[in-house]
Amino acid sequence: MTTGCAAALGLIGGDGSDVAAYDFAREAVVVDLADTAQNTRWAAGDRYTMIEGVWGSGFDDTLRGDESDNILRGRSGVDEMSGQGGNETLEGDPGDDLLSGGDGSDRLLGGDGNDVLLGGAGADTMDGGIRSNRTLSEVDTVTYASETGAVRADLAFSEVNGLAAPGDTFVLIEDLIGTAFNDTLRGGSGANTFVVLADIGSDVIEDFELGVGRLMIGWHFGYGS
């Protein structure tokens, strides 16, 4: 693991999986492993060689991966993390985070907070995370709003997921956002919210219980649209 600081650094990894850590940053950072010109604040000017992962600060960070198998960890704060072409592991930790896997078979772990998970292409595992404080009411959402075709997504039985969601697996997910096409969405145990995008498509909502679940219609509820 290599640690960033306020001065511009050349961070060099080695064999195995190496991480650039910004634990001690005194403000939020933008870190982009693929395009370091986008880096800001404590990460400004940093260059990476054989670095596969990034750990953010305790603030509201933006962390972006490259084409390798990245590990991105937000720590506390409201973080936005996105992978690219590899098989990523994205960990939100505390805070209301937005995690986007990109291509590849990714593992998205929300952690504490109301998180939004977007798997992208590939067979992805999307896990809302176990709450460290069980007195808090938290809701984690999987969104397919940016997909260009319909989705079949089932929170209870992931093995039937298909169309734009083949191989996707859900753990501790409460809410689903569909596509603009003919979706089939099914909830799990407890109260689920389904968001269907208006104007296009005829959607099927299964296992919907009046008075318990919620149904919303409209683009403005989605991420990645």
Side-chain angles (χ1 to χ4, degrees):
M1 182 174 69
T2 59
T3 301
C5 67
L9 296 174
L11 306 179
I12 301 174
D15 294 337
S17 182
D18 300 291
V19 174
Y22 293 89
D23 304 56
F24 300 108
R26 297 177 183 174
E27 56 187 341
V29 295
V30 173
V31 179
D32 193 318
L33 290 179
D35 182 6
T36 56
Q38 303 300 316
N39 289 9
T40 65
R41 303 183 181 96
W42 279 47
D46 286 357
R47 304 175 308 281
Y48 311 110
T49 303
M50 294 187 293
I51 298 293
E52 294 78 28
V54 178
W55 290 0
S57 71
F59 303 94
D60 301 343
D61 301 317
T62 299
L63 310 179
R64 306 186 188 110
D66 55 19
E67 295 298 325
S68 61
D69 296 342
N70 302 128
I71 300 174
L72 307 180
R73 185 175 184 182
R75 300 184 70 237
S76 56
V78 179
D79 302 307
E80 182 174 336
M81 285 169 277
S82 56
Q84 290 198 34
N87 300 322
E88 274 79 33
T89 298
L90 277 55
E91 300 181 10
D93 284 351
D96 298 342
D97 305 308
L98 173 60
L99 280 57
S100 176
D103 295 339
S105 296
D106 308 307
R107 178 175 179 266
L108 280 56
L109 178 60
D112 285 350
N114 302 310
D115 304 304
V116 176
L117 312 180
L118 192 165
D124 305 305
T125 298
M126 288 168 277
D127 187 338
I130 297 175
R131 284 70 164 144
S132 62
N133 187 342
R134 295 184 180 274
T135 65
L136 296 178
S137 177
E138 298 176 2
V139 175
D140 298 301
T141 302
V142 166
T143 177
Y144 291 96
S146 62
E147 294 292 342
T148 57
V151 65
R152 177 178 178 85
D154 192 314
L155 293 181
F157 302 100
S158 294
E159 60 270 19
V160 305
N161 290 346
L163 301 176
D168 286 357
T169 301
F170 308 127
V171 180
L172 297 173
I173 298 296
E174 290 78 32
D175 294 352
L176 275 173
I177 299 175
T179 74
F181 302 93
N182 301 324
D183 300 323
T184 300
L185 309 178
R186 187 177 191 273
S189 60
N192 304 120
T193 296
F194 303 94
V195 179
V196 295
L197 303 186
D199 300 331
I200 305 174
S202 299
D203 303 294
V204 176
I205 309 298
E206 299 178 349
D207 192 35
F208 181 76
E209 186 175 350
L210 288 174
V212 177
R214 294 194 302 165
L215 177 63
M216 298 182 178
I217 301 175
W219 284 98
H220 59 286
F221 294 105
Y223 286 80
S225 55

